[in-house]
Amino acid sequence: MISVNEKGLSIIDEMLDWEEELKVESKELANGATIIDCGVNMEGGYDAGMYLSRLCLADLAEISYTKFDLDGLPVPAIQVSTDHPTIACMGSQYAGWRIAVGKYFGMGSGPARALGLKPKELYEEIGYKDDSECAVLVMESGALPDEEVVEYIAKHSNVETENVYIAVAPTASIAGSVQISARIVETGIHKLESIGFDINTIQSGFGIAPIAPIVGDDTKCMGSTNDCIIYCGETYYTVAYDDVEKLEEHVKNAPSTTSKDFGKPFYDTFKEADFDFFKVDAGMFAPAKITINDRTSKKSFTSGRINPGILLESFGIKNV
């Protein structure tokens, strides 16, 4: 059985060896936990973002930088492929752990979720649970966690505090923006799962998404990073499905284009909803375009479309 935390620890070791080059900084807390700042007080960057993406996916994917054409404007993008889609994306990468301890809040992603089963129903669905003495977590937050936060994570992960490793980057950072775009394959899988598709039939996944520039504070950047996937994210999955008609219907309903909120920058939608996620159509959180190749029927289906214009608006790039 693959241990996502053991694989994550190997990446942490690399980061600790290359702190200066990655423009990150580690510190050991009083309870022995290791915190790596990838963008809170440190500069971080594309290299740090790549390591965060690898951590989130437990090194079960090939990740590379490329470029994306936005109506003639080339912008940085990230490409992800994996032959372990359910474990890498849903068992590790999915931001399924809301960590709120005292005044601290962060969204937890990565291997440690598979120890605490966050959320339990998802791990039961994919039939996976990790067994490791170390817990590796990626935190999307504007602040570094303290000992109290670590104790909470260690307790829920059933490990000692000295075996907790947390890499942190805010949304409004290059590293944070990179790791969000690297969720392109996972976002598609999550949307498929939410509309009743059996994600255990997915055998491989591929995706590409632009990487957002820093456009403001964390809330503003949350809008632009989501827009990268919603309006220009493209995914391709290989599956083995037993009902080709049902598969075709799932593909039709999967892209973000099917959402009633599709059509304007996410920040505008979020603002109109009084910054309440529960007032935003959940169907919005999906790639712009999804293609599925079915190995059973030997047929392929595609749905959705990219919309570079909205992403350019979201980025706020001025032609001078």
Side-chain angles (χ1 to χ4, degrees):
M1 176 70 77
I2 294 172
S3 170
V4 292
N5 281 279
E6 293 301 326
K7 293 183 72 66
L9 184 59
S10 296
I11 303 169
I12 290 290
D13 288 339
E14 289 182 38
M15 295 181 75
L16 295 177
D17 286 340
W18 297 96
E19 286 187 51
E20 185 175 356
E21 291 82 355
L22 295 176
K23 299 180 180 179
V24 303
E25 182 179 67
S26 69
K27 69 173 183 178
E28 184 176 310
L29 300 184
N31 58 11
T34 299
I35 309 298
I36 304 179
D37 179 356
C38 298
V40 178
N41 300 311
M42 299 298 293
E43 183 177 341
Y46 286 105
D47 287 340
M50 179 62 71
Y51 271 89
L52 284 180
S53 302
R54 289 177 59 198
L55 276 175
C56 284
L57 286 155
D59 235 8
L60 291 171
E62 289 294 325
I63 314 171
S64 61
Y65 287 115
T66 182
K67 68 176 181 179
F68 198 97
D69 187 283
L70 290 181
D71 286 344
L73 175 69
V75 297
I78 198 160
Q79 178 176 297
V80 178
S81 61
T82 178
D83 289 326
H84 304 274
T86 52
I87 295 178
C89 296
M90 306 308 289
S92 186
Q93 187 183 33
Y94 172 55
W97 196 352
R98 293 172 60 88
I99 296 174
V101 179
K103 295 182 179 180
Y104 186 86
F105 178 79
M107 290 302 300
S109 306
R113 288 182 42 246
L115 298 173
L117 301 181
K118 306 292 184 179
K120 184 177 180 180
E121 297 79 10
L122 176 60
Y123 286 94
E124 290 176 346
E125 181 179 355
I126 65 175
Y128 181 76
K129 179 181 180 181
D130 196 11
D131 182 15
S132 174
E133 293 182 355
C134 65
V136 178
L137 197 67
V138 172
M139 194 83 78
E140 186 178 339
S141 177
L144 300 175
D146 59 15
E147 286 84 358
E148 186 180 8
V149 176
V150 168
E151 288 169 8
Y152 170 86
I153 292 168
K155 177 182 177 181
H156 284 264
S157 302
N158 196 30
V159 299
E160 300 297 326
T161 55
E162 60 263 30
N163 292 329
V164 173
Y165 301 84
I166 307 173
V168 190
T171 312
S173 68
I174 295 176
S177 185
V178 168
Q179 69 90 10
I180 293 171
S181 288
R183 297 174 184 277
I184 177 62
V185 175
E186 176 264 306
T187 305
I189 295 176
H190 184 254
K191 177 60 179 293
L192 286 165
E193 193 269 345
S194 72
I195 60 175
F197 184 86
D198 182 1
I199 60 174
N200 291 307
T201 65
I202 303 175
Q203 298 179 340
S204 62
F206 171 90
I208 183 170
I211 297 168
I214 308 305
V215 299
D217 60 14
D218 281 340
T219 304
K220 286 285 289 185
C221 285
M222 181 185 63
S224 60
T225 53
N226 272 298
D227 287 335
C228 286
I229 293 174
I230 292 169
Y231 291 107
C232 286
E234 299 179 88
T235 55
Y236 183 103
Y237 303 99
T238 302
V239 307
Y241 214 71
D242 59 6
D243 187 331
V244 68
E245 291 184 359
K246 186 178 292 185
L247 173 61
E248 182 176 357
E249 190 66 18
H250 282 312
V251 175
K252 179 181 178 181
N253 294 325
S256 58
T257 51
T258 62
S259 170
K260 65 180 180 63
D261 287 330
F262 184 90
K264 54 188 171 184
F266 180 77
Y267 178 81
D268 293 346
T269 300
F270 196 37
K271 185 178 181 179
E272 290 171 4
D274 299 321
F275 301 104
D276 184 348
F277 271 110
F278 293 103
K279 295 180 181 179
V280 178
D281 179 19
M284 186 78 161
F285 300 101
K289 192 169 184 176
I290 291 179
T291 301
I292 290 184
N293 170 234
D294 179 30
R295 295 183 63 178
T296 303
S297 66
K298 308 299 189 292
K299 293 183 178 181
S300 297
F301 303 96
T302 188
S303 181
R305 67 184 186 280
I306 64 170
N307 195 320
I310 294 179
L311 194 57
L312 281 169
E313 181 182 350
S314 176
F315 285 2
I317 298 175
K318 183 178 181 181
N319 192 3
V320 296

